[in-house]
Amino acid sequence: MDTKLLARIGAAVFVGLAIAMTIVQLREEPAPVRQADRRIWVPDGDPLPAQLRVCAQMGELALSSPDCRDAWAEKRRRFFGVDHPEAYSGIGDRALPESSSGEARGED
């Protein structure tokens, strides 16, 4: 038997099998996609989630709002579980301490 003829028969069988498998897959009903449960628990009497939503709706104006900065600091404090509230407030407002001597810059 000729090897070219055998290769053509093998290719035809492979293509036919691929087409048959595709048809079988297309005939099946897709499984319904389950939607994730979107219930959000908001503790009673806590104004922080409402303040964070307001800040999110403000857009870039929220960056200059001290109320939003305080709300974000409180959110970070709660997230990281820090005991003292000053730990994450005003991080961007502090400047790095400057060295009075030239040791930090490598000067003698």
Side-chain angles (χ1 to χ4, degrees):
M1 218 177 185
D2 191 24
T3 58
K4 287 185 179 181
L5 179 63
L6 190 59
R8 287 182 184 167
I9 291 173
V13 168
F14 177 75
V15 169
L17 188 61
I19 291 173
M21 289 175 63
T22 302
I23 290 173
V24 169
Q25 286 292 326
L26 290 176
R27 289 185 59 186
E28 291 181 5
E29 280 288 319
V33 178
R34 292 181 50 188
Q35 296 292 332
D37 194 11
R38 300 197 117 213
R39 283 184 258 155
I40 299 173
W41 178 73
V42 178
D44 294 335
D46 187 10
L48 185 62
Q51 179 66 32
L52 291 172
R53 280 193 295 275
V54 168
C55 292
Q57 292 171 353
M58 287 175 63
E60 287 187 24
L61 293 175
L63 296 174
S64 61
S65 170
D67 293 334
C68 290
R69 287 197 307 252
D70 290 342
W72 291 327
E74 176 64 17
K75 180 68 175 179
R76 284 190 300 268
R77 186 191 69 77
R78 290 182 186 182
F79 180 79
F80 289 117
V82 178
D83 292 335
H84 50 287
E86 296 84 23
Y88 288 101
S89 63
I91 289 176
D93 299 337
R94 283 186 261 155
L96 293 175
E98 295 183 18
S99 175
S100 59
S101 66
E103 295 173 5
R105 293 184 300 247
E107 296 175 6
D108 291 312

